Amino acid sequence: MDAGTDHQLAETSSVASKKVESIQGFENDGQTQVESKKQSRLKVATVCILCFFNLTYYMDRFGIAGILPSIQCEFGANDKQGGLLQTAFIIPYVIFSPVVGYLGDRSSRRLILVIGIFFWSCVTLTASFMPKLWSFIVVRSLTGVGEACFSSLAPAIISDLYASNVRSKFLAIYYFAIPVGSGLGYIVFAEVGQAANNWRWGLRVTPIFGFICVVLILLFLQDPPRGQSEGSRMKTTSWLDDIKYFATHGSYIWISIASTAVAFIAGAFGAWGPKYITLGLVTQQEQTEDISDLLGRVSLLFGFITVVTGLMGVIVGSLMGTKLRGRYPTIDPEICGFGVLASVPLIYAMTILARGPEAPTYITFFFGQWFLNLNWALATDMLMYTIVPTRRSSAKAIQILLNHVLGDAGSPYIIGLLTEAFKPLVESGHSTKTYYAPITTSLWNETASAVPKEQDCDLSPIDVTTAERDFTALQYALFIALFIQVLGAFAFIATSWTIIDDKAEVDRAAAIGQQKDGDSDQLADSDSPSEKSAVSSPDVITISEHT
């Protein structure tokens, strides 16, 4: 009787313990799901914060072009000095970018972002109060420190949060900010400056967004372990080893050349496009619109086209890449290469048609920009899946350094320099035509003499007496940029020769890292107290053998 009772009690205890374990299992699963949802929301929030500042940065970067004639007029700056406004930030960037890339692969990326964006916001706001040209250029150049702290880290963080096609989609969203932010910059800077009757107020919009980003980063941004999305924890290597790796990495070299060429053309037309189109319209005899209003309208349309084509280009390029990548492994560089190549004749047509009716100019520019924007997200995606996770920040930092020095930061100054060099040649080639502005510009006195007064920057930021010469000289300079664009197209196509092998190498490195992680976890488990007690207890061994 006692034995039967003990047996019943044992069975009851066993059933109860199983129920408790079952309940605890459900509770643990529920807690895991809640934590997983929270982590998922934080990951999405991280991408949104990074996209928000990328948008803000490019608004500030290219918004200058929307008010460039007003800045040149107030400071008395020629085209060479006007181009320097878009180029000067490269000096601080060159100094800080490699350092940030190195630290970004080894230190807290959140801290670097907070310091960099806060500094960027401060100097951007300060520059709007500078009274002289050179003080304005020097303070504006310090924004390069902030960009160095952001641009190389953000894509690497997104790549550590997500893998494969999901990463491609989020990188596409991130790279919307380049064309969309640029377009919004033209619109916001021109409209705010015109509303306030002072171009400086346009510069004071983006610092507010920058300070907001700092707060959001402190509250919500995640800094995942390097290689988390690949499921491995790889060890970092020395910076010298990283440099040797990049110098012999075929895909990295070709992608860097191609993206630098594309950045050159984007920077050249982004900085000079609104002024070029305005000059083309001013040279027309039938043009009677007030020049300040004309420049504002051109900046608005230019910005709108940049935003729309940026959205369309990035979406179409990313969708084509993700849909076709499984069937055609080299489709990403081919989309980029043929897209850039297709945009060359369209942008060339835009430069020719700018002297005529507006509609053909904007139509050719629209489709040229659309094809050009197919590559923005795909180029970075290719870089991320052909470079091992522990070297991605450094890889991106060096690539962006090349993109800026030889691309979008250098091209505005180079185009401005060439424009100034071509002006004497244009004048000697044919007589300069003089086009008189309407009476509303008040550039001449009421006696209608041929002698112009001193230019009134508030009424006309463009000197109409030299509009023909300035337009032709700028046109010749922009033609040179198109040759660089062709080089970029062929460099993207050349990437298809190496991309399959380089991606396979990264996949092998990730697999080895996962295997090492698994082995180390097994060793850790074998050294745990529970394992030791299992080995030292004969009763436990007996139970496990029976089960």
Side-chain angles (χ1 to χ4, degrees):
M1 187 72 177
D2 291 338
T5 303
D6 291 341
H7 180 70
Q8 289 178 350
L9 289 172
E11 287 183 350
T12 303
S13 176
S14 176
V15 171
S17 63
K18 287 181 180 179
K19 288 183 178 180
V20 170
E21 290 176 359
S22 177
I23 292 170
Q24 289 177 344
F26 280 123
E27 289 177 350
N28 291 334
D29 289 342
Q31 185 177 359
T32 302
Q33 289 178 358
V34 170
E35 290 178 355
S36 177
K37 289 180 179 179
K38 183 179 180 181
Q39 288 295 107
S40 178
R41 286 196 295 267
L42 286 175
K43 287 164 69 174
V44 172
T46 297
V47 175
C48 290
I49 293 168
L50 297 176
C51 291
F52 179 47
F53 184 73
N54 205 28
L55 186 80
T56 300
Y57 171 74
Y58 278 96
M59 279 180 62
D60 181 79
R61 173 88 178 280
F62 285 97
I64 287 285
I67 54 175
L68 181 59
S70 299
I71 296 174
Q72 287 182 278
C73 192
E74 178 169 327
F75 289 133
N78 58 29
D79 286 339
K80 181 174 69 174
Q81 293 167 328
L84 189 60
L85 284 172
Q86 297 284 63
T87 303
F89 82 95
I90 201 62
I91 297 174
Y93 186 87
V94 167
I95 296 171
F96 285 91
S97 181
V99 178
V100 172
Y102 178 84
L103 294 175
D105 285 328
R106 294 160 178 83
S107 318
S108 170
R109 291 179 287 195
R110 180 192 298 205
L111 179 61
I112 296 172
L113 288 173
V114 167
I115 294 172
I117 294 175
F118 181 78
F119 181 80
W120 177 90
S121 303
C122 290
V123 297
T124 303
L125 182 61
T126 303
S128 68
F129 295 97
M130 292 296 103
K132 301 293 183 182
L133 174 64
W134 289 108
S135 62
F136 180 71
I137 291 176
V138 169
V139 178
R140 282 286 300 178
S141 72
L142 294 177
T143 59
V145 179
E147 194 198 345
C149 294
F150 173 80
S151 58
S152 59
L153 302 187
I157 291 174
I158 295 173
S159 297
D160 288 333
L161 288 172
Y162 299 100
S164 190
N165 287 341
V166 179
R167 174 170 60 203
S168 300
K169 292 174 184 177
F170 278 108
L171 282 174
I173 295 171
Y174 175 78
Y175 279 99
F176 281 155
I178 296 178
V180 174
S182 303
L184 289 176
Y186 300 131
I187 297 169
V188 172
F189 278 39
E191 292 300 311
V192 172
Q194 195 170 18
N197 200 27
N198 188 338
W199 59 266
R200 295 176 182 273
W201 281 100
L203 297 175
R204 294 166 187 167
V205 176
T206 50
I208 298 172
F209 297 155
F211 290 125
I212 293 172
C213 284
V214 171
V215 176
L216 293 175
I217 289 171
L218 289 171
L219 293 176
F220 302 111
L221 186 129
Q222 275 194 317
D223 185 5
R226 282 75 173 169
Q228 174 181 281
S229 61
E230 279 86 359
S232 64
R233 298 185 293 272
M234 302 179 186
K235 292 183 178 179
T236 57
T237 53
S238 69
W239 195 70
L240 184 60
D241 289 337
D242 293 349
I243 297 299
K244 292 178 181 177
Y245 173 81
F246 301 144
T248 57
H249 194 286
S251 296
Y252 182 74
I253 293 170
W254 286 121
I255 294 170
S256 298
I257 293 172
S259 59
T260 299
V262 171
F264 188 95
I265 191 76
F269 279 88
W272 294 104
K275 182 176 181 178
Y276 178 73
I277 295 174
T278 305
L279 283 170
L281 295 173
V282 169
T283 60
Q284 299 176 34
Q285 289 279 16
E286 65 273 13
Q287 177 62 44
T288 58
E289 185 177 356
D290 181 89
I291 295 178
S292 293
D293 293 339
L294 176 64
L295 178 61
R297 181 168 61 81
V298 169
S299 296
L300 183 65
L301 288 170
F302 194 90
F304 177 76
I305 291 173
T306 304
V307 170
V308 174
T309 55
L311 288 169
M312 293 172 59
V314 172
I315 290 172
V316 173
S318 298
L319 286 177
M320 290 174 65
T322 53
K323 295 293 183 183
L324 300 174
R325 195 176 297 150
R327 204 180 316 169
Y328 307 103
T330 61
I331 194 66
D332 287 349
E334 290 167 359
I335 291 171
C336 295
F338 288 111
V340 174
L341 195 61
S343 73
V344 174
L346 291 165
I347 294 179
Y348 173 77
M350 171 261 187
T351 60
I352 296 296
L353 296 171
R355 198 192 295 267
E358 289 185 70
T361 302
Y362 291 126
I363 290 171
T364 51
F365 177 64
F366 179 93
F367 286 103
Q369 283 288 100
W370 184 10
F371 283 114
L372 187 66
N373 287 328
L374 291 174
N375 76 90
W376 286 118
L378 290 178
T380 297
D381 200 14
M382 287 189 289
L383 182 72
M384 292 299 146
Y385 67 63
T386 57
I387 299 291
V388 293
T390 53
R391 288 170 168 158
R392 284 173 180 163
S393 290
S394 295
K396 192 62 180 174
I398 294 172
Q399 188 192 76
I400 294 177
L401 179 62
L402 294 172
N403 290 171
H404 285 333
V405 174
L406 304 176
D408 59 353
S411 62
Y413 179 72
I414 293 172
I415 297 301
L417 191 66
L418 290 172
T419 301
E420 290 296 323
F422 285 136
K423 284 178 182 179
L425 300 177
V426 172
E427 285 181 329
S428 63
H430 57 80
S431 60
T432 302
K433 298 179 182 178
T434 301
Y435 293 90
Y436 294 96
I439 298 300
T440 54
T441 59
S442 301
L443 290 178
W444 290 272
N445 57 25
E446 295 180 359
T447 61
S449 67
V451 180
K453 290 183 178 180
E454 184 178 350
Q455 188 178 357
D456 188 336
C457 297
D458 291 332
L459 296 177
S460 177
I462 289 178
D463 187 353
V464 295
T465 63
T466 59
E468 174 73 21
R469 181 204 64 182
D470 295 346
F471 173 83
T472 306
L474 184 54
Q475 184 183 62
Y476 292 165
L478 290 173
F479 283 161
I480 295 174
L482 293 174
F483 288 102
I484 306 296
Q485 185 175 355
V486 174
L487 174 64
F490 284 108
F492 269 130
I493 294 171
T495 308
S496 62
W497 304 339
T498 59
I499 195 167
I500 295 176
D501 292 338
D502 290 334
K503 185 178 185 303
E505 183 182 343
V506 173
D507 292 339
R508 284 195 297 270
I512 292 171
Q514 288 177 350
Q515 185 177 1
K516 289 181 178 179
D517 290 342
D519 293 342
S520 62
D521 290 341
Q522 288 179 0
L523 288 173
D525 291 341
S526 65
D527 292 336
S528 65
S530 60
E531 289 284 341
K532 291 179 181 178
S533 63
V535 173
S536 61
S537 173
D539 295 335
V540 173
I541 292 174
T542 303
I543 292 170
S544 64
E545 286 175 350
H546 283 297
T547 56

